[in-house]
Short mmCIF file of all heavy atoms in Angstrom, two decimals:
data_model
loop_
_atom_site.label_atom_id
_atom_site.label_comp_id
_atom_site.label_asym_id
_atom_site.label_seq_id
_atom_site.Cartn_x
_atom_site.Cartn_y
_atom_site.Cartn_z
N ALA B 212 86.77 126.07 123.86
CA ALA B 212 86.57 125.61 125.20
C ALA B 212 85.18 125.15 125.42
O ALA B 212 84.92 124.18 126.20
CB ALA B 212 86.89 126.73 126.21
N ARG B 213 84.19 125.73 124.75
CA ARG B 213 82.78 125.36 125.00
C ARG B 213 82.09 124.81 123.80
O ARG B 213 80.99 124.22 123.93
CB ARG B 213 82.06 126.67 125.46
CG ARG B 213 82.61 127.18 126.77
CD ARG B 213 82.21 128.63 127.06
NE ARG B 213 83.12 129.25 128.08
CZ ARG B 213 84.28 129.77 127.83
NH1 ARG B 213 84.75 129.86 126.56
NH2 ARG B 213 85.04 130.20 128.82
N ASP B 214 82.72 124.85 122.65
CA ASP B 214 82.17 124.24 121.46
C ASP B 214 83.23 123.73 120.51
O ASP B 214 83.44 124.21 119.40
CB ASP B 214 81.19 125.16 120.72
CG ASP B 214 80.48 124.56 119.54
OD1 ASP B 214 80.42 123.33 119.52
OD2 ASP B 214 80.03 125.26 118.63
N PHE B 215 83.94 122.75 121.03
CA PHE B 215 84.99 122.20 120.21
C PHE B 215 84.44 121.25 119.13
O PHE B 215 83.37 120.72 119.34
CB PHE B 215 85.97 121.43 121.14
CG PHE B 215 87.21 120.96 120.49
CD1 PHE B 215 88.21 121.86 120.13
CD2 PHE B 215 87.46 119.61 120.12
CE1 PHE B 215 89.34 121.49 119.47
CE2 PHE B 215 88.59 119.18 119.53
CZ PHE B 215 89.57 120.13 119.19
N ASP B 216 85.18 121.06 118.06
CA ASP B 216 84.74 120.01 117.06
C ASP B 216 86.02 119.37 116.52
O ASP B 216 86.87 119.96 115.87
CB ASP B 216 83.97 120.73 115.92
CG ASP B 216 83.48 119.70 114.90
OD1 ASP B 216 83.70 118.48 115.14
OD2 ASP B 216 83.00 120.13 113.92
N LEU B 217 86.10 118.08 116.81
CA LEU B 217 87.27 117.27 116.39
C LEU B 217 87.36 117.32 114.85
O LEU B 217 88.48 117.19 114.32
CB LEU B 217 87.12 115.85 116.89
CG LEU B 217 87.38 115.54 118.38
CD1 LEU B 217 86.72 114.26 118.81
CD2 LEU B 217 88.81 115.53 118.66
N ASP B 218 86.23 117.42 114.12
CA ASP B 218 86.28 117.39 112.71
C ASP B 218 86.45 118.75 112.05
O ASP B 218 86.42 118.89 110.84
CB ASP B 218 84.91 116.77 112.14
CG ASP B 218 84.75 115.30 112.46
OD1 ASP B 218 85.89 114.61 112.33
OD2 ASP B 218 83.72 114.83 112.89
N ASP B 219 86.63 119.83 112.86
CA ASP B 219 86.80 121.19 112.29
C ASP B 219 88.13 121.24 111.54
O ASP B 219 89.16 120.83 112.11
CB ASP B 219 86.79 122.14 113.53
CG ASP B 219 86.87 123.63 113.01
OD1 ASP B 219 87.34 123.87 111.86
OD2 ASP B 219 86.41 124.47 113.77
N PRO B 220 88.10 121.68 110.29
CA PRO B 220 89.38 121.77 109.53
C PRO B 220 90.45 122.60 110.20
O PRO B 220 91.68 122.38 110.02
CB PRO B 220 88.94 122.42 108.19
CG PRO B 220 87.53 122.21 108.07
CD PRO B 220 86.94 122.05 109.46
N MET B 221 89.97 123.57 111.02
CA MET B 221 90.93 124.44 111.77
C MET B 221 91.81 123.55 112.71
O MET B 221 92.98 123.76 112.87
CB MET B 221 90.13 125.46 112.59
CG MET B 221 90.94 126.44 113.38
SD MET B 221 91.45 125.82 115.00
CE MET B 221 89.93 125.48 115.79
N PHE B 222 91.16 122.55 113.32
CA PHE B 222 91.90 121.63 114.20
C PHE B 222 92.97 120.88 113.39
O PHE B 222 94.12 120.75 113.85
CB PHE B 222 90.91 120.68 114.92
CG PHE B 222 91.60 119.76 115.86
CD1 PHE B 222 92.51 120.21 116.77
CD2 PHE B 222 91.17 118.41 115.96
CE1 PHE B 222 93.16 119.38 117.73
CE2 PHE B 222 91.79 117.54 116.87
CZ PHE B 222 92.76 117.96 117.74
N ASN B 223 92.61 120.41 112.25
CA ASN B 223 93.61 119.77 111.38
C ASN B 223 94.77 120.67 111.06
O ASN B 223 95.91 120.21 111.11
CB ASN B 223 92.88 119.30 110.06
CG ASN B 223 93.83 118.55 109.17
OD1 ASN B 223 94.46 117.58 109.58
ND2 ASN B 223 93.84 118.93 107.91
N ASP B 224 94.50 121.91 110.71
CA ASP B 224 95.50 122.82 110.28
C ASP B 224 96.42 123.32 111.37
O ASP B 224 97.61 123.58 111.25
CB ASP B 224 94.93 124.02 109.61
CG ASP B 224 94.13 123.66 108.34
OD1 ASP B 224 94.39 122.53 107.83
OD2 ASP B 224 93.30 124.50 107.88
N ARG B 225 95.79 123.51 112.59
CA ARG B 225 96.54 124.14 113.71
C ARG B 225 96.56 123.19 114.85
O ARG B 225 96.48 123.52 116.05
CB ARG B 225 95.87 125.43 114.14
CG ARG B 225 95.97 126.47 113.02
CD ARG B 225 95.00 127.67 113.19
NE ARG B 225 95.35 128.47 114.33
CZ ARG B 225 94.64 129.51 114.71
NH1 ARG B 225 93.64 129.89 113.99
NH2 ARG B 225 95.04 130.24 115.75
N PHE B 226 96.88 121.90 114.56
CA PHE B 226 96.82 120.77 115.44
C PHE B 226 97.58 120.98 116.73
O PHE B 226 97.07 120.92 117.81
CB PHE B 226 97.30 119.55 114.73
CG PHE B 226 97.18 118.27 115.51
CD1 PHE B 226 96.02 117.67 115.78
CD2 PHE B 226 98.39 117.69 116.01
CE1 PHE B 226 95.94 116.46 116.52
CE2 PHE B 226 98.35 116.50 116.74
CZ PHE B 226 97.15 115.93 117.01
N ASP B 227 98.89 121.22 116.66
CA ASP B 227 99.77 121.37 117.79
C ASP B 227 99.40 122.54 118.67
O ASP B 227 99.32 122.43 119.87
CB ASP B 227 101.23 121.54 117.35
CG ASP B 227 101.77 120.24 116.77
OD1 ASP B 227 101.70 119.18 117.54
OD2 ASP B 227 102.19 120.22 115.57
N GLU B 228 99.08 123.66 118.00
CA GLU B 228 98.65 124.89 118.70
C GLU B 228 97.41 124.64 119.51
O GLU B 228 97.30 125.01 120.76
CB GLU B 228 98.50 126.04 117.69
CG GLU B 228 98.16 127.28 118.30
CD GLU B 228 97.60 128.33 117.32
OE1 GLU B 228 97.70 128.03 116.10
OE2 GLU B 228 97.12 129.36 117.76
N VAL B 229 96.41 123.99 118.91
CA VAL B 229 95.14 123.74 119.58
C VAL B 229 95.32 122.77 120.75
O VAL B 229 94.83 123.02 121.80
CB VAL B 229 94.08 123.27 118.58
CG1 VAL B 229 92.81 122.78 119.35
CG2 VAL B 229 93.79 124.28 117.54
N LEU B 230 96.02 121.67 120.51
CA LEU B 230 96.20 120.67 121.62
C LEU B 230 96.98 121.35 122.75
O LEU B 230 96.57 121.10 123.96
CB LEU B 230 97.00 119.45 121.08
CG LEU B 230 96.20 118.31 120.47
CD1 LEU B 230 97.12 117.14 120.31
CD2 LEU B 230 94.98 117.93 121.23
N THR B 231 97.98 122.13 122.53
CA THR B 231 98.76 122.74 123.56
C THR B 231 97.92 123.73 124.33
O THR B 231 97.87 123.78 125.58
CB THR B 231 100.00 123.41 122.98
OG1 THR B 231 100.79 122.36 122.38
CG2 THR B 231 100.80 124.11 124.09
N PHE B 232 97.10 124.47 123.60
CA PHE B 232 96.21 125.39 124.23
C PHE B 232 95.21 124.71 125.15
O PHE B 232 94.97 125.05 126.34
CB PHE B 232 95.42 126.32 123.21
CG PHE B 232 94.57 127.33 123.81
CD1 PHE B 232 95.10 128.56 124.08
CD2 PHE B 232 93.27 127.04 124.14
CE1 PHE B 232 94.32 129.56 124.70
CE2 PHE B 232 92.48 128.04 124.75
CZ PHE B 232 92.95 129.27 125.00
N MET B 233 94.63 123.62 124.60
CA MET B 233 93.61 122.86 125.34
C MET B 233 94.25 122.31 126.66
O MET B 233 93.53 122.46 127.67
CB MET B 233 93.11 121.73 124.52
CG MET B 233 92.33 122.19 123.27
SD MET B 233 90.61 121.74 123.44
CE MET B 233 90.79 120.00 123.07
N VAL B 234 95.39 121.71 126.61
CA VAL B 234 95.87 121.06 127.80
C VAL B 234 96.27 122.11 128.81
O VAL B 234 96.10 121.95 130.06
CB VAL B 234 97.05 120.08 127.50
CG1 VAL B 234 98.37 120.82 127.07
CG2 VAL B 234 97.36 119.17 128.67
N ASN B 235 96.83 123.21 128.37
CA ASN B 235 97.21 124.33 129.36
C ASN B 235 96.06 125.03 129.91
O ASN B 235 96.04 125.35 131.11
CB ASN B 235 98.15 125.30 128.65
CG ASN B 235 99.47 124.75 128.38
OD1 ASN B 235 100.06 124.10 129.35
ND2 ASN B 235 100.07 124.96 127.22
N LYS B 236 95.08 125.38 129.05
CA LYS B 236 94.05 126.35 129.43
C LYS B 236 92.70 125.72 129.72
O LYS B 236 91.79 126.28 130.42
CB LYS B 236 93.90 127.36 128.35
CG LYS B 236 95.18 128.20 128.05
CD LYS B 236 95.34 129.16 129.20
CE LYS B 236 96.45 130.15 128.97
NZ LYS B 236 96.52 131.12 130.10
N CYS B 237 92.47 124.53 129.13
CA CYS B 237 91.10 123.92 129.24
C CYS B 237 91.23 122.55 129.83
O CYS B 237 91.31 121.55 129.06
CB CYS B 237 90.43 123.82 127.88
SG CYS B 237 90.49 125.31 126.91
#
Side-chain angles (χ1 to χ4, degrees):
Chain B
R213 297 161 198 87
D214 184 19
F215 188 71
D216 182 6
L217 287 158
D218 291 318
D219 187 335
M221 181 279 298
F222 183 42
N223 183 50
D224 297 342
R225 295 164 67 180
F226 181 74
D227 290 301
E228 182 193 353
V229 171
L230 273 190
T231 299
F232 184 89
M233 292 245 286
V234 70
N235 285 317
K236 297 287 187 175
C237 315

